[in-house]
Amino acid sequence: MKITSPIVSRRSLLRGSAAAAATSLAHAGRASAQDATAESAFEARIDLRLNVNGHQHALTVEPRVTLLDALRERMQLTGTKKGCNRGECGACTVLMDGRRVNSCLVLAASADGREITTIEGLADGDTPHPVQRAFAEADAFQCGFCTSGQIMSAVACIEEGHTGSPKEIREWMSGNLCRCSAYPQITAAVAAAAEELG
Amino acid sequence: MPRFPSRRAFLITGAALGGTALVAAVGGVGYLSTLDVDGLDGHVEGDLAHLNAFVILHEDGRVVVNVPKTEMGQGIHTGLAMLVAEELDIPWDDRISVVFPTEPHPAYSNWFNALQIRPEEATGPVVWIGRRVLGQLGFIATGASGSTMGMWHPMRVAGASARHMLVAAAAARLVVPEAELTTRDGAVLHEASGRRLPYGALAREAALLSPPDDPVLRNPADWQIAGRSQPRIDVPPKVRGTAVFGMDVVLPGMVYASIRHAPVFGASVARIVNEDEVRSEPGVTDVAIVGGRHVAVVAASWWQAEQAAWILDVEWTATEADGVSSGELNERLREGLDSEELHEHLVEGDIDSAFATEGARLVEAEYQVPFVTHACMEPINATVRIAEDGTAELWVPTQSPAFARRAVTRGAEWAGVSLGEVTCNVTLTGGGFGRRSDGDVVSEAIFLAARMQGRPVKLIWPREEDIGRGLYRSHAAARLRAALGPDGLPAGYDATVAAQSAMESIATRNLPFTPNPEGDALSLEGLDKPHYAIPDRRIRIAHVPSHMPIHFWRSNGYSFNTFFSESFVDECATAVGADPLDYRRAMLRDSPRHLAVLDRVAEMAGWGSPLGPGQGRGIAIEECYRSIVAQVAEVTVLPDGEVRVDQVFCALDAGLIINPDAVVAQMEGGIIYGIGTALMNALTIQDGAVQETNFHDFTMLRLANAPRIDVALVQSGELPCGVGEPGVVPAAAAVANAIFAATGRRLRSLPLANVETVGERRIRTILPAAAS
């Protein structure tokens, strides 16, 4: 299945025509007829199976629901944060099939059948992921609201191999805003974790 | 709900008679020989032993520290718990947790912020009465860089008092003199007999004993936990994603709300054009006009509420501000500066003769800054449940439960309901910067909850409401004049600032009274430079009202006045061809504490050493929140006008330091906050409305363009000073002065840079691209 590009503007999707929504609907391929009186495709529901942190979640959602809202409000996975809702701040970063995406820009429908990893699924039981440990050891946050997104972004950044130098880390971690500006510590944490993960 | 007995009467008598806390200098740092702290009596409640208003013990030895300060990233829960652990003699480990107490106990009030004084310095009847009154009113708030300043002493006393009570309980249990007992690692030891009693086993007996009259406090020179960097107490939940911020609160049966405020502040709702259409959107359960002013949509999920709010079509009432633009507001500032009715804040010496002196060299300049906002990462939110019996419970990331409670009253008035007991749970907070002391979102949530028949409602503002319909730091303009004497230094200094009174605006929204807007203290901060040796000076202010709601904003007046005044000092130095560092040194000749900080930062930066092409260094210093902070910024201005801040050096004298890492982090965060604002941030008002909406047009520094930062902590023997805001304060002036050093261009208004397209690049430039 080809994914909808997460770069596409969420608003253009959400404000788009019913036809666009119908496309999502057809794409997901499992329209339910929950509301028999529905005249608009917006009032339709689709059934999804989201694989989040290794668990299968069956959801029935409106086609317009973003992955972020599905995570926070349908699965109560509130570790993923909403900061701007338009892909500017990165607080909602999760991994989709191992790649980092702004979950506010991804329709839940396009995550159907894909492997989603959120901050809650990163640790191995009680053992934190090396990036979590590095953020803890470097005190790489202040308020902590952006931290989930920073950590998820850092996991992917390391996997992508964009950690060759502090300059490269700074560049490739720039999609994640930190209003408290724990930037020096974040850079140090990503570098330390990258070294450990080799 | 726990109720603490009031402080024993003799202490009140004692305070009335004499006194006060005496400060003695021992080992280079002061400590206090008398306590004068409220809330030291204990009680037992269920399984919990409350040794006093701050320290709660479980039987298994876990320690809960009540910290009546909002954790918004500054690390205050960690810092204050460290002081308790130090005095209680427990290791810094996971047996310690921190909660924000829900009870408005007088011991939690920060009368010291309101009175601009440290508790240990409280003297005289006015302070004493003010303290009692504000304490009884439950004035609890986190701000003004005052948490450590105000709470460090009470937390030490609370820890020491609890330890003494545990020792006394052990002495009674073992039937031995207290003098034979010691404490270590959370237990009382009787070394002679080898017996060891863990605190948890003693807690319930200890809580019923009288607190000691004058517990001995550890000399900071002997500290084992405090005074050295410790891991933050909130690390594990924040890296695991389990920390619960206000926005993450989930309650059974909860509904969600989003909101739209009027584009022009002060407008009301004339009518909702398409209410039926909005109501028929999926999941929507309510569409409400909140307080006559705003429109909220309630739905089964926030996403549904926000989607429905997108299609709201609201007619707003006309206001006098409908045609107002940034240009007109700027013009009003200039009129303010020219006004004949200026409020005279300070006059020292003979300002007129200083400027009339023959041969005096006159320097004059005008400066300006725009409106800006806070842009906390966590959107503005509040969760409220009003039970059938009229009691209300809040979960809110607030900096001020006091203002939140006031906001509850207002929201209940809007809804026409009367409420019973109100419980305010202060959650973890995704940034504050002053913004979250306002009660706006609480009133709105109360209004909505009153319509929900007992169901909780979580109201979250979308980011667009925060940036474009929120609360702001005032814009401001200043006219600065100096008469330089024969030595080239200012003999006369005449500063006038025009800004909108923050206190009037804040009080109008949050308090039952409105102060006189003339002479607004928050708008004057940073203008009068008392540390500089200037014989004759005059400080004046014009209150320039507008329709914009003004609020506390990290460092308030300092954020603009220090940009004005420290840029202007450089202009004076330039006028006589002096080096900006030497010039400041001469003006600080009578201020050794300032000189030490200034010299330290100059040394760190290698002041005077050669720089590359296009580079420049700028320096600035300020005294604020009792701290002295100086910064040197190094910038590069490329030939096409692109400006980059490469490095910032910061020296800080914040007195006695509790948690050094946290203090350094506050400087780093403050510097990037200050520089980002100075370089990029301005809100544009058109047709009365703010035009910016989100992080794409109200931008902040990202990792790639954040400067390297080097912070040094200077020790002077002072008691703890404020650190939350000082990092912001000199940053704008240091960068502007560095740009001048690099280019010879004096930039007198913020933001310093414009985003422009040069070739294929979008860059921040200080020069028009065409001029490159």
Side-chain angles (χ1 to χ4, degrees):
Chain A
M1 182 159 41
K2 190 172 165 56
I3 59 164
T4 306
S5 165
I7 307 303
V8 95
S9 151
R10 189 184 69 89
R11 193 161 308 167
S12 70
L13 281 172
L14 299 187
R15 305 288 280 169
S17 65
T23 309
S24 296
L25 195 65
H27 172 70
R30 280 187 298 277
S32 76
Q34 266 196 348
D35 187 350
T37 63
E39 290 182 7
S40 155
F42 282 109
E43 291 178 45
R45 301 286 191 277
I46 54 175
D47 293 330
L48 298 176
R49 274 203 310 272
L50 292 183
N51 180 349
V52 182
N53 302 329
H55 300 286
Q56 292 285 343
H57 296 258
L59 295 184
T60 302
V61 299
E62 292 168 60
R64 300 178 295 172
V65 170
T66 64
L67 176 57
L68 172 60
D69 290 300
L71 289 169
R72 285 185 60 85
E73 300 196 329
R74 298 299 299 276
M75 302 177 218
Q76 314 299 351
L77 291 171
T78 56
T80 305
K81 304 304 183 195
K82 176 177 285 195
C84 69
N85 215 24
R86 52 171 291 145
E88 291 284 340
C89 74
C92 65
T93 306
V94 300
L95 304 184
M96 187 155 80
D97 288 345
R99 294 180 56 195
R100 49 180 163 172
V101 295
N102 287 324
S103 61
C104 74
L105 296 182
V106 177
L107 291 176
S110 67
D112 187 37
R114 297 182 174 276
E115 262 184 47
I116 307 298
T117 308
T118 72
I119 187 74
E120 292 94 341
L122 204 55
D124 180 7
D126 283 344
T127 309
H129 187 280
V131 174
Q132 288 174 307
R133 203 166 55 241
F135 269 67
E137 282 167 8
D139 268 359
F141 60 81
Q142 288 182 29
C143 81
F145 192 80
C146 73
T147 306
S148 300
Q150 300 278 0
I151 288 175
M152 299 314 291
S153 198
V155 169
C157 183
I158 293 167
E159 179 67 28
E160 293 158 14
H162 289 134
T163 53
S165 66
K167 187 174 191 301
E168 193 180 9
I169 292 170
R170 287 155 57 90
E171 191 66 39
W172 286 89
M173 286 297 293
S174 278
N176 292 77
L177 284 172
C178 172
R179 186 57 162 160
C180 310
S181 306
Y183 290 142
Q185 292 80 2
I186 291 169
T187 310
V190 177
E195 192 170 327
E196 182 182 339
L197 289 166
Chain B
M1 169 167 292
R3 291 281 163 208
F4 296 101
S6 62
R7 180 77 183 129
R8 292 160 300 162
F10 89 87
L11 254 191
I12 296 173
T13 313
L17 283 178
T20 92
L22 301 172
V23 180
V26 172
V29 281
Y31 86 104
L32 306 158
S33 63
T34 63
L35 50 101
D36 201 23
V37 168
D38 296 326
L40 294 181
D41 292 307
H43 68 278
V44 174
E45 187 189 340
D47 294 338
L48 298 178
H50 295 251
L51 274 84
N52 49 52
F54 300 99
V55 179
I56 304 167
L57 281 176
H58 288 259
E59 270 181 47
D60 62 7
R62 280 178 294 145
V63 179
V64 180
V65 184
N66 274 331
V67 175
K69 292 290 170 189
T70 305
E71 179 58 66
M72 44 196 172
Q74 79 279 46
I76 194 65
H77 283 185
T78 300
L80 293 180
M82 282 166 62
L83 291 163
V84 170
E86 180 71 53
E87 293 291 348
L88 192 55
D89 221 352
I90 51 173
W92 185 250
D93 60 23
D94 60 8
R95 83 187 68 188
I96 303 166
S97 60
V98 171
V99 298
F100 193 119
T102 55
E103 193 205 3
H105 189 285
Y108 304 147
S109 80
N110 62 345
W111 49 271
F112 34 84
N113 282 152
L115 301 177
Q116 294 284 300
I117 197 161
R118 291 191 182 102
E120 60 269 26
E121 296 162 342
T123 64
V126 172
V127 168
W128 185 82
I129 292 166
R131 158 183 190 177
R132 295 293 152 196
V133 170
L134 289 166
Q136 292 303 324
L137 288 175
F139 186 73
I140 300 172
T142 308
S145 297
S147 297
T148 302
M149 234 188 293
M151 295 302 295
W152 85 289
H153 176 59
M155 295 315 263
R156 293 170 77 203
V157 172
S161 178
R163 193 184 73 88
H164 280 249
M165 291 157 78
L166 289 159
V167 168
R173 177 98 69 93
L174 300 174
V175 200
V176 297
E178 286 181 29
E180 291 181 13
L181 298 171
T182 56
T183 56
R184 192 161 67 230
D185 283 354
V188 182
L189 308 177
H190 185 242
E191 289 188 14
S193 64
R195 284 176 292 180
R196 178 179 184 277
L197 291 170
Y199 283 172
L202 294 164
R204 292 163 66 87
E205 292 150 57
L208 301 176
L209 300 177
S210 288
D213 293 340
D214 195 3
V216 176
L217 302 180
R218 277 193 185 164
N219 188 319
D222 300 327
W223 279 352
Q224 300 296 310
I225 294 170
R228 51 190 76 186
S229 295
Q230 304 292 346
R232 294 176 59 125
I233 212 160
D234 49 355
V235 160
K238 285 181 176 174
V239 299
R240 286 180 181 272
T242 55
V244 177
F245 294 84
M247 198 171 160
D248 303 328
V249 170
V250 177
L251 299 172
M254 186 168 78
V255 293
Y256 297 77
S258 187
I259 196 159
R260 293 296 183 271
H261 303 86
V264 180
F265 297 101
S268 299
V269 178
R271 76 184 179 106
I272 304 171
V273 178
N274 60 343
E275 183 170 340
D276 290 345
E277 185 190 357
V278 175
R279 280 185 180 275
S280 68
E281 283 289 293
V284 172
T285 58
D286 195 13
V287 176
I289 296 175
V290 181
R293 305 281 288 276
H294 326 299
V295 181
V297 179
V298 183
S301 71
W302 189 79
W303 182 83
Q304 289 173 314
E306 174 61 10
Q307 293 308 305
W310 264 101
I311 64 164
L312 266 175
D313 184 2
V314 180
E315 278 179 15
W316 308 95
T317 58
T319 78
E320 288 178 3
D322 285 355
V324 170
S325 66
S326 291
E328 183 184 335
L329 291 168
N330 292 343
E331 190 54 41
R332 281 193 217 162
L333 284 180
R334 278 188 288 277
E335 286 168 12
L337 290 178
D338 292 335
S339 163
E340 304 283 314
E341 310 280 309
L342 294 168
H343 174 89
E344 212 158 65
H345 167 65
L346 176 85
V347 180
E348 285 176 3
D350 185 349
I351 189 77
D352 291 330
S353 70
F355 279 85
T357 303
E358 204 168 319
R361 181 154 187 179
L362 303 186
V363 183
E364 180 170 336
E366 287 187 17
Y367 297 83
Q368 193 159 334
V369 299
F371 290 101
V372 292
T373 193
H374 315 73
C376 308
M377 283 302 288
E378 182 190 2
I380 303 305
N381 68 86
T383 303
V384 174
R385 177 170 59 206
I386 298 178
E388 307 279 344
D389 64 0
T391 58
E393 187 159 10
L394 322 175
W395 293 261
V396 56
T398 180
Q399 289 178 250
S400 176
F403 281 7
R405 285 173 183 277
R406 172 80 195 148
V408 167
T409 307
R410 185 177 49 225
E413 284 168 10
W414 288 348
V417 298
S418 66
L419 298 177
E421 191 171 12
V422 175
T423 305
C424 182
N425 301 286
V426 178
T427 65
L428 285 177
T429 298
F433 316 119
R435 171 63 179 86
R436 293 192 204 270
S437 51
D438 199 89
D440 46 9
V441 69
V442 172
S443 295
E444 295 163 0
I446 285 280
F447 177 89
L448 294 172
R451 300 158 65 96
M452 295 297 153
Q453 283 99 39
R455 294 187 83 176
V457 58
K458 174 154 77 177
L459 169 62
I460 305 173
W461 291 18
R463 178 60 61 190
E464 289 75 12
E465 297 296 298
D466 173 46
I467 302 285
R469 312 285 181 258
L471 299 175
Y472 304 97
R473 189 216 53 203
S474 177
H475 64 165
R479 178 176 296 139
L480 277 66
R481 302 164 63 229
L484 308 185
D487 57 0
L489 299 175
Y493 173 71
D494 184 17
T496 307
V497 65
Q500 185 174 344
S501 164
M503 276 317 300
E504 182 198 40
S505 192
I506 293 162
T508 301
R509 294 189 309 276
N510 292 288
L511 293 171
F513 60 89
T514 304
N516 183 352
E518 309 300 328
D520 182 58
L522 293 178
S523 305
L524 282 160
E525 296 167 333
L527 201 58
D528 59 355
K529 323 309 287 181
H531 42 282
Y532 284 146
I534 304 172
D536 305 315
R537 69 176 85 210
R538 178 172 64 180
I539 310 295
R540 294 181 296 174
I541 181 169
H543 163 56
V544 180
S546 82
H547 67 300
M548 298 282 282
I550 307 303
H551 200 56
F552 299 116
W553 187 95
R554 199 174 187 180
S555 83
N556 303 314
Y558 289 112
S559 71
F560 47 80
N561 286 324
T562 300
F563 165 63
F564 303 151
S565 57
E566 280 294 283
S567 295
F568 186 67
V569 169
D570 262 39
E571 297 212 50
C572 293
T574 303
V576 295
D579 174 80
L581 171 65
D582 294 341
Y583 200 74
R584 284 179 175 79
R585 291 196 89 254
M587 291 169 74
L588 292 170
R589 58 187 178 267
D590 301 326
S591 306
R593 208 178 147 212
H594 299 74
L595 263 183
V597 171
L598 190 72
D599 286 345
R600 182 65 181 274
V601 80
E603 181 194 335
M604 293 165 73
W607 185 266
S609 63
L611 288 166
Q615 288 193 301
R617 266 191 207 103
I619 193 166
I621 184 168
E622 189 59 89
E623 176 179 348
C624 50
Y625 310 97
R626 301 200 180 200
S627 285
I628 316 290
V629 58
Q631 292 167 4
V632 170
E634 284 181 13
V635 305
T636 301
V637 182
L638 300 176
D640 62 7
E642 180 177 359
V643 59
R644 294 178 185 162
V645 182
D646 303 315
Q647 174 121 27
V648 176
F649 300 92
C650 176
L652 172 76
D653 173 359
L656 183 63
I657 302 292
I658 312 302
N659 191 6
D661 273 359
V663 173
V664 170
Q666 282 305 294
M667 291 306 108
E668 291 169 341
I671 287 165
I672 294 177
Y673 197 94
I675 287 176
T677 304
L679 283 176
M680 302 186 286
N681 289 158
L683 292 165
T684 315
I685 290 96
Q686 192 178 311
D687 298 328
V690 174
Q691 301 300 300
E692 286 73 14
T693 59
N694 205 314
F695 294 149
H696 66 291
D697 52 11
F698 192 81
T699 53
M700 51 189 81
L701 283 179
R702 291 176 180 273
L703 227 175
N705 44 34
R708 295 186 303 281
I709 297 172
D710 197 356
V711 179
L713 304 179
V714 178
Q715 297 294 334
S716 63
E718 286 289 314
L719 295 177
C721 305
V723 298
E725 289 154 285
V728 179
V729 171
V735 171
N737 290 339
I739 290 171
F740 177 78
T743 65
R745 274 191 54 171
R746 172 59 60 184
L747 301 182
R748 297 191 183 88
S749 65
L750 300 182
L752 297 168
N754 299 309
V755 175
E756 292 186 59
T757 303
V758 176
E760 293 183 347
R761 296 187 307 148
R762 294 274 291 167
I763 59 173
R764 278 190 288 282
T765 68
I766 60 159
L767 304 166
S772 61

